[in-house]
Coordinates of all heavy atoms in Angstrom, one line a residue:
L1 N 0.8 -1.2 0.0 CA 0.0 0.0 0.0 C 0.9 1.3 0.0 O 0.4 2.3 -0.4 CB -0.9 0.0 1.2 CG -2.0 -1.1 1.3 CD1 -2.8 -1.0 2.5 CD2 -2.8 -1.1 0.0
K2 N 2.1 1.1 0.5 CA 3.0 2.3 0.5 C 2.4 3.5 1.2 O 2.6 4.6 0.7 CB 3.5 2.6 -0.9 CG 4.3 1.4 -1.5 CD 4.9 1.8 -2.8 CE 5.8 0.7 -3.2 NZ 5.6 0.0 -4.4
G3 N 1.6 3.2 2.2 CA 1.0 4.3 3.0 C -0.1 5.0 2.2 O -0.7 6.0 2.7
D4 N -0.5 4.4 1.1 CA -1.6 5.0 0.3 C -2.9 4.7 1.0 O -3.3 3.5 1.2 CB -1.6 4.4 -1.1 CG -2.5 5.1 -2.0 OD1 -3.5 5.8 -1.6 OD2 -2.3 5.1 -3.2
N5 N -3.6 5.7 1.4 CA -4.9 5.5 2.2 C -6.1 5.6 1.3 O -7.2 5.6 1.9 CB -5.0 6.6 3.3 CG -4.0 6.4 4.4 OD1 -3.6 5.2 4.7 ND2 -3.5 7.4 5.0
R6 N -5.9 5.6 0.0 CA -7.1 5.6 -0.8 C -7.9 4.3 -0.7 O -7.3 3.2 -1.0 CB -6.8 5.8 -2.3 CG -6.2 7.2 -2.6 CD -5.9 7.4 -4.0 NE -4.7 6.5 -4.3 CZ -4.5 6.0 -5.5 NH1 -5.3 6.2 -6.5 NH2 -3.5 5.2 -5.7
A7 N -9.1 4.3 -0.2 CA -9.9 3.1 0.0 C -10.0 2.2 -1.2 O -9.9 1.0 -1.1 CB -11.2 3.5 0.6
E8 N -10.3 2.8 -2.3 CA -10.5 2.1 -3.6 C -9.2 1.3 -3.9 O -9.3 0.1 -4.2 CB -10.8 3.1 -4.7 CG -11.6 2.5 -5.8 CD -12.0 3.6 -6.8 OE1 -12.9 4.4 -6.4 OE2 -11.4 3.7 -7.9
Y9 N -8.1 1.9 -3.9 CA -6.8 1.3 -4.3 C -6.5 0.1 -3.3 O -6.2 -1.0 -3.7 CB -5.7 2.3 -4.3 CG -4.3 1.7 -4.4 CD1 -3.9 1.2 -5.7 CD2 -3.4 1.5 -3.4 CE1 -2.6 0.6 -5.8 CE2 -2.2 0.9 -3.5 CZ -1.8 0.5 -4.8 OH -0.6 -0.1 -4.9
G10 N -6.7 0.4 -2.0 CA -6.4 -0.6 -1.0 C -7.3 -1.8 -1.1 O -6.8 -2.9 -0.9
A11 N -8.5 -1.5 -1.4 CA -9.5 -2.6 -1.5 C -9.1 -3.6 -2.6 O -9.1 -4.8 -2.5 CB -10.9 -2.1 -1.7
E12 N -8.7 -3.0 -3.8 CA -8.3 -3.8 -4.9 C -7.1 -4.7 -4.6 O -7.0 -5.8 -4.9 CB -8.0 -2.9 -6.1 CG -9.2 -2.3 -6.7 CD -8.8 -1.3 -7.8 OE1 -7.7 -1.4 -8.4 OE2 -9.6 -0.4 -8.1
V13 N -6.1 -4.0 -4.0 CA -4.9 -4.7 -3.6 C -5.1 -5.9 -2.6 O -4.7 -7.0 -2.8 CB -3.8 -3.7 -3.0 CG1 -2.6 -4.5 -2.4 CG2 -3.4 -2.8 -4.1
I14 N -5.9 -5.6 -1.6 CA -6.2 -6.6 -0.6 C -7.0 -7.8 -1.2 O -6.7 -8.9 -0.9 CB -7.0 -6.0 0.6 CG1 -6.1 -4.9 1.3 CG2 -7.5 -7.0 1.6 CD1 -5.0 -5.5 2.1
V15 N -8.0 -7.5 -2.0 CA -8.8 -8.6 -2.7 C -7.9 -9.5 -3.5 O -7.9 -10.7 -3.4 CB -9.9 -8.0 -3.5 CG1 -10.5 -9.1 -4.4 CG2 -11.0 -7.4 -2.6
R16 N -7.0 -8.9 -4.3 CA -6.1 -9.6 -5.2 C -5.1 -10.4 -4.4 O -4.9 -11.6 -4.6 CB -5.4 -8.7 -6.2 CG -4.6 -9.4 -7.2 CD -4.1 -8.5 -8.3 NE -3.2 -7.5 -7.8 CZ -3.5 -6.2 -7.7 NH1 -4.6 -5.7 -8.1 NH2 -2.6 -5.3 -7.2
L17 N -4.5 -9.8 -3.3 CA -3.6 -10.5 -2.5 C -4.3 -11.7 -1.7 O -3.7 -12.7 -1.6 CB -2.9 -9.5 -1.5 CG -1.9 -10.1 -0.6 CD1 -0.7 -10.7 -1.4 CD2 -1.4 -9.0 0.4
A18 N -5.5 -11.4 -1.2 CA -6.2 -12.5 -0.5 C -6.4 -13.7 -1.4 O -6.2 -14.9 -1.0 CB -7.5 -12.0 0.0
Q19 N -6.8 -13.4 -2.7 CA -7.0 -14.5 -3.6 C -5.7 -15.3 -3.9 O -5.7 -16.6 -3.9 CB -7.5 -14.0 -5.0 CG -8.9 -13.4 -4.9 CD -9.4 -12.7 -6.1 OE1 -8.5 -12.3 -6.9 NE2 -10.7 -12.4 -6.2
E20 N -4.6 -14.6 -4.0 CA -3.3 -15.3 -4.3 C -2.9 -16.1 -3.1 O -2.4 -17.2 -3.2 CB -2.3 -14.3 -4.7 CG -2.5 -13.6 -6.0 CD -1.5 -12.5 -6.3 OE1 -0.5 -12.3 -5.6 OE2 -1.8 -11.7 -7.2
L21 N -3.0 -15.5 -1.9 CA -2.6 -16.2 -0.7 C -3.5 -17.4 -0.3 O -3.0 -18.5 0.1 CB -2.5 -15.2 0.5 CG -1.4 -14.2 0.5 CD1 -1.6 -13.2 1.6 CD2 0.0 -14.9 0.6
K22 N -4.8 -17.2 -0.5 CA -5.7 -18.4 -0.3 C -5.4 -19.5 -1.3 O -5.4 -20.7 -0.9 CB -7.1 -17.9 -0.5 CG -7.7 -17.2 0.8 CD -9.0 -16.6 0.6 CE -10.1 -17.6 0.2 NZ -11.4 -17.1 0.1
A23 N -5.1 -19.2 -2.5 CA -4.8 -20.3 -3.5 C -3.5 -21.0 -3.1 O -3.4 -22.2 -3.2 CB -4.6 -19.6 -4.9
A24 N -2.5 -20.3 -2.5 CA -1.2 -20.9 -2.2 C -1.2 -21.5 -0.8 O -0.6 -22.5 -0.6 CB -0.1 -19.8 -2.3
Y25 N -2.0 -20.9 0.2 CA -1.8 -21.3 1.6 C -3.1 -21.7 2.3 O -3.0 -22.1 3.4 CB -1.1 -20.2 2.4 CG 0.3 -19.9 1.8 CD1 0.5 -18.7 1.1 CD2 1.3 -20.8 2.0 CE1 1.7 -18.4 0.6 CE2 2.6 -20.5 1.5 CZ 2.8 -19.3 0.8 OH 4.0 -19.0 0.3
G26 N -4.2 -21.5 1.7 CA -5.5 -21.9 2.3 C -6.3 -20.8 2.8 O -6.0 -19.6 2.6
D27 N -7.4 -21.2 3.5 CA -8.5 -20.2 3.8 C -8.2 -19.2 4.9 O -9.0 -18.3 5.1 CB -9.7 -21.0 4.2 CG -10.4 -21.7 3.1 OD1 -10.2 -21.3 1.9 OD2 -11.0 -22.8 3.3
G28 N -7.0 -19.3 5.5 CA -6.7 -18.3 6.6 C -6.3 -16.9 6.1 O -6.1 -16.1 6.9
F29 N -6.3 -16.7 4.8 CA -5.9 -15.5 4.3 C -7.0 -14.7 3.5 O -6.8 -14.3 2.4 CB -4.6 -15.7 3.4 CG -3.5 -16.3 4.2 CD1 -3.2 -17.6 4.2 CD2 -2.7 -15.4 4.9 CE1 -2.2 -18.1 4.9 CE2 -1.6 -16.0 5.7 CZ -1.4 -17.3 5.7
T30 N -8.1 -14.6 4.2 CA -9.2 -13.8 3.6 C -8.9 -12.4 3.6 O -8.0 -11.9 4.3 CB -10.5 -14.1 4.4 OG1 -10.3 -13.5 5.7 CG2 -10.9 -15.5 4.5
K31 N -9.7 -11.6 2.8 CA -9.4 -10.2 2.8 C -9.7 -9.6 4.2 O -9.0 -8.6 4.6 CB -10.3 -9.5 1.7 CG -11.7 -9.4 1.9 CD -12.4 -8.7 0.8 CE -13.9 -8.6 1.2 NZ -14.7 -7.8 0.3
T32 N -10.6 -10.1 4.9 CA -10.9 -9.6 6.3 C -9.7 -9.8 7.1 O -9.3 -8.9 7.9 CB -12.1 -10.3 6.9 OG1 -13.3 -10.1 6.1 CG2 -12.4 -9.9 8.3
N33 N -9.1 -11.0 7.1 CA -7.9 -11.3 7.8 C -6.7 -10.4 7.4 O -6.0 -9.9 8.3 CB -7.5 -12.7 7.7 CG -8.3 -13.6 8.6 OD1 -9.1 -13.2 9.4 ND2 -8.2 -14.9 8.3

């Protein structure tokens, strides 16, 4: 996020990262987590 507080940008990054981590490591890496 590099300190970027824009909600829209952060939400996109978190959703994408959650999908990648869940695929690699399982369900413990939801966007909420």
Side-chain angles (χ1 to χ4, degrees):
L1 298 179
K2 297 182 172 126
D4 193 334
N5 289 327
R6 291 180 295 149
E8 204 173 288
Y9 172 76
E12 290 175 21
V13 169
I14 296 292
V15 167
R16 190 172 59 250
L17 182 60
Q19 290 170 345
E20 292 173 13
L21 289 172
K22 280 173 60 175
Y25 300 106
D27 291 334
F29 298 97
T30 63
K31 69 178 184 173
T32 300
N33 283 348

